[in-house]
Amino acid sequence: MKLSAKLLALIGMFLCAPAFSQQKAAKPIPRLEKRGQVTQLIVDGQPYLVLGGELHNSNTSSLEYLKPIMAKVAAMHFNTVLGAVNWDLLEPEEGKFDFSLVDGLIKQSRDNKLKLVILWFGSWKNGMSHYVPDWVKKDQARFPRVKMGNGKSTETLNVFSPENLKADAKAFSALMKHIKAIDSKERTVIMIQVENEVGIHGDNRDRSDVANANFSKQVPAELITGLQKHQAELQPEFKQAWEKAGSKTAGTWEDVFGKNAFGDEVFMAWHYAKYVNAITAAGKAEYNVPMYVNAWISPVYPRGGPVAYMHDVWRVAAPKIDIFTPDIYQPDFKGIIPLFHHSWNPLFIPECAADSAGASNAYYAIGMHNAIGYSPFAIEDRVADPINGPIPKAYKVLGGLAPIILDAQAKGTITAVTINKSNPVQTINMGGYNIELRTRRKKMGTERYLPNSSYGIIINSAPDEFIISGVNLEAIFAPSTAGPQIAGIASLWEGVYDNGKWKPGRRLNGDNIMQNYNMTEQSTKNQTGTVVRFENPGPGILKVKLYKFD
Ligand code: DGJ
């Protein structure tokens, strides 16, 4: 009798088990959250660093073609892919949606343990309208186009048409509703890019009749009030151009912003931003995950897009958009990112070159500008060496270190350096130390080895303790506070982080830290003759504990 009660209980547990596991709680929805001074992306309830890569434009249109690509991407230590969903394939017939490619893209991401950022190629992709369905392409009366100054029509959808907006918003909300239905438990989709590099090509503004009619209207009070509200934070270039036009607060676009390229661009930026905001709002009403827009930023860029000096206009017109992001293909990466990382805009880089500078730029964006993510473009084609390429190697190291990085971003205890011939020595102050960083010597006493660059992030992980991850760096520490003026190495380890857990490798000592035995010279300089140095090509991780003496 006793035994059969036990048996019954066991049978009961067994029968209940599947129901129980099905009830496993859904993961929390991805969101942006302010932690300390920085905004971070929260995925599955935890801060998340996007170590991403964007798939080349057409590769998500065939699941068969995509399959080996996704496996390759996962093997390259990416944790996230950015991939397009195309309006024409989603809604081939008006009102009839085909979600098979979306389902396949999400499934392949899950199968490869990748998170997914979906790019909505709707009304515009690179300013053009090539991804709209053919029932939109063919009906130019219902879906009007941009006209150039020569009176000729283009393939580009007009931003002033409510019908264009309505059709795009309907498709995008259907997409977001579907993602909610299939992904609310797994949360594979973590962000959405709305449209792609919007703006007018070949002129400063649309010259269609409807555009001209709008252009002669008064500037909306909503824009002026919004700009005035954010007066103290206006982007310097925007502020200057508005001042040059006389800082007027009422009148037509030409009256207020000038009869010039700037006036035209503000006009287009306002209307693009309003349109994209409405699309975003429609999508968020279905499923409210973070959504961003991306900007084409080379000198000849489509006018009206979210380039840095139009951020103030976009901010007022498009409050539903969470981040304005740059696509960076120019060499001046470090000059561009501060323009997109400012008091109210966190840094996310959805597209950039996947060359050898890519890894150093990833380190810099994450360490110096608290980037929430980084994503080279066309990774399946452009990351030449999937094992030893700079991006896969860097992502492997950064992936393990990510929890420590995210924590340090929130605490403000992380920075980054890049060293090159024009900038051979950098001294930073952190955690009570001046840290002199330079390219490592090949061997003790030999000429400096100057590869293309040496770079790294430096984290002050505890009092007198630093984690440095980088390539070809060496560092000399000196106390910067009152008290003992010499810093010695208490211990130095190389190692790796695995999901935020330190796994020490060699304890570095002896020849591995020594660089100068002239103790008279060294002690006069308050130095010890030792150095913290990366020895292997890297990127690697060093953890150093220091002590101070006189
Ligand atoms: C930026 C665009 O956003 C991408 O889709 C792609 O067209 C690249 N430029 C160029 O390859």
Side-chain angles (χ1 to χ4, degrees):
M1 186 66 192
K2 241 181 161 184
L3 193 72
S4 66
K6 259 190 185 171
L7 199 66
L8 276 173
L10 271 173
I11 292 168
M13 272 170 68
F14 175 76
L15 289 175
C16 288
F20 179 73
S21 67
Q22 269 164 27
Q23 280 163 18
K24 209 173 100 189
K27 294 172 176 171
I29 192 164
R31 62 181 194 278
L32 291 167
E33 188 178 292
K34 192 107 183 170
R35 292 181 72 236
Q37 287 309 300
V38 302
T39 300
Q40 293 186 325
L41 178 64
I42 309 294
V43 171
D44 299 341
Q46 301 293 328
Y48 185 78
L49 186 64
V50 177
L51 298 171
E54 185 166 324
L55 300 172
H56 214 149
N57 296 161
S58 304
N59 293 350
T60 53
S61 63
S62 157
L63 294 176
E64 210 177 313
Y65 192 93
L66 185 63
K67 209 166 180 188
I69 289 176
M70 293 292 261
K72 179 179 167 191
V73 169
M76 294 194 293
H77 306 289
F78 289 72
N79 63 13
T80 308
V81 277
L82 283 68
V85 169
N86 309 334
W87 184 7
D88 53 351
L89 298 175
L90 185 81
E91 195 183 3
E93 260 182 77
E94 187 169 8
K96 291 204 176 132
F97 293 96
D98 176 355
F99 294 110
S100 54
L101 287 173
V102 183
D103 294 345
L105 178 59
I106 292 178
K107 183 178 181 311
Q108 289 194 18
S109 304
R110 283 182 193 160
D111 289 349
N112 288 289
K113 298 194 170 36
L114 291 161
K115 293 288 185 187
L116 175 64
V117 174
I118 285 185
L119 318 177
W120 171 237
F121 286 1
S123 296
W124 302 289
K125 194 270 171 191
N126 295 20
M128 309 298 288
S129 298
H130 296 146
Y131 287 81
V132 305
D134 60 2
W135 52 268
V136 173
K137 282 182 181 156
K138 288 174 186 163
D139 192 347
Q140 299 192 12
R142 181 172 160 208
F143 302 108
R145 311 305 178 88
V146 166
K147 269 193 183 160
M148 308 313 292
N150 58 10
K152 292 275 193 187
S153 185
T154 67
E155 280 193 299
T156 306
L157 288 191
N158 183 313
V159 78
F160 303 96
S161 156
E163 201 59 30
N164 293 349
L165 172 56
K166 207 166 88 194
D168 185 334
K170 196 171 147 208
F172 185 57
S173 35
L175 170 65
M176 294 313 297
K177 187 175 178 184
H178 183 75
I179 294 172
K180 182 182 181 184
I182 64 163
D183 197 42
S184 283
K185 205 158 145 202
E186 290 281 329
R187 310 289 191 192
T188 299
V189 178
I190 58 170
M191 275 205 291
I192 304 287
Q193 179 187 295
V194 189
E195 313 291 342
N196 191 82
E197 295 188 341
V198 303
I200 293 284
H201 287 282
D203 199 347
N204 297 324
R205 71 171 180 89
D206 184 358
R207 309 277 168 181
S208 62
D209 292 347
V210 63
N212 290 340
N214 273 286
F215 192 60
S216 58
K217 286 186 186 161
Q218 300 286 295
V219 172
E222 184 193 350
L223 174 56
I224 302 298
T225 319
L227 293 174
Q228 286 168 333
K229 187 172 147 208
H230 303 130
Q231 187 78 35
E233 288 175 321
L234 295 182
Q235 301 304 302
E237 228 187 312
F238 178 85
K239 201 164 171 247
Q240 263 172 30
W242 190 15
E243 280 167 4
K244 205 169 156 208
S247 302
K248 294 190 199 76
T249 54
T252 64
W253 295 90
E254 285 186 336
D255 296 338
V256 177
F257 297 108
K259 198 175 172 157
N260 51 32
F262 176 67
D264 289 349
E265 191 172 355
V266 176
F267 167 71
M268 286 315 303
W270 175 256
H271 287 94
Y272 271 111
K274 277 276 174 193
Y275 187 112
V276 177
N277 188 61
I279 304 285
T280 308
K284 282 192 169 182
E286 295 297 342
Y287 189 43
N288 190 5
V289 293
M291 298 197 187
Y292 68 89
V293 288
N294 63 333
W296 176 328
I297 57 172
S298 62
V300 183
Y301 61 91
R303 294 304 192 263
V307 293
Y309 95 128
M310 286 296 129
H311 280 187
D312 298 305
V313 178
W314 272 79
R315 182 191 197 183
V316 179
K320 289 286 177 189
I321 291 162
D322 297 300
I323 319 179
F324 302 110
T325 73
D327 292 346
I328 310 179
Y329 293 93
Q330 289 99 301
D332 186 20
F333 184 90
K334 292 178 183 66
I336 291 164
I337 54 175
L339 303 175
F340 280 78
H341 178 221
H342 44 76
S343 58
W344 52 270
N345 196 47
L347 184 66
F348 176 63
I349 300 156
E351 284 185 47
C352 55
D355 58 13
S356 60
S360 131
N361 289 341
Y363 266 77
Y364 190 79
I366 291 164
M368 186 61 119
H369 285 278
N370 300 312
I372 66 172
Y374 185 83
S375 164
F377 179 71
I379 36 164
E380 63 275 60
D381 308 334
R382 297 186 190 171
V383 175
D385 183 340
I387 308 287
N388 290 312
I391 293 278
K393 281 173 79 180
Y395 274 13
K396 187 174 180 196
V397 173
L398 291 171
L401 192 57
I404 311 291
I405 290 172
L406 291 158
D407 193 48
Q409 285 183 340
K411 289 182 182 146
T413 52
I414 185 169
T415 192
V417 290
T418 48
I419 310 283
N420 48 40
K421 281 184 186 166
S422 60
N423 197 11
V425 183
Q426 276 188 55
T427 303
I428 59 169
N429 184 271
M430 208 181 191
Y433 289 89
N434 286 323
I435 314 169
E436 188 184 295
L437 293 131
R438 56 178 80 215
T439 298
R440 71 171 166 97
R441 291 172 197 215
K442 256 181 177 167
K443 282 192 207 126
M444 192 171 63
T446 60
E447 278 299 291
R448 291 204 179 276
Y449 166 56
L450 280 174
N452 286 338
S453 70
S454 41
Y455 57 86
I457 55 178
I458 300 103
I459 295 170
N460 183 201
S461 41
D464 305 316
E465 182 187 283
F466 293 84
I467 295 166
I468 309 179
S469 175
V471 171
N472 287 322
L473 280 175
E474 68 180 38
I476 297 176
F477 291 77
S480 65
T481 49
Q485 285 305 293
I486 307 174
I489 295 174
S491 65
L492 176 65
W493 293 89
E494 67 182 3
V496 292
Y497 275 87
D498 181 4
N499 196 22
K501 293 231 163 9
W502 175 237
K503 296 200 164 164
R506 287 186 303 164
R507 170 77 172 258
L508 299 180
N509 212 335
D511 289 351
N512 303 103
I513 61 168
M514 202 58 208
Q515 73 157 0
N516 191 338
Y517 284 99
N518 186 339
M519 282 303 113
T520 302
E521 184 195 292
Q522 287 292 293
S523 57
T524 309
K525 287 161 76 182
N526 278 345
Q527 289 186 0
T528 60
T530 62
V531 67
V532 171
R533 146 174 84 207
F534 286 91
E535 299 215 317
N536 298 318
I541 302 180
L542 299 176
K543 190 185 248 191
V544 60
K545 289 189 182 177
L546 303 161
Y547 73 103
K548 297 174 187 171
F549 66 98
D550 259 332

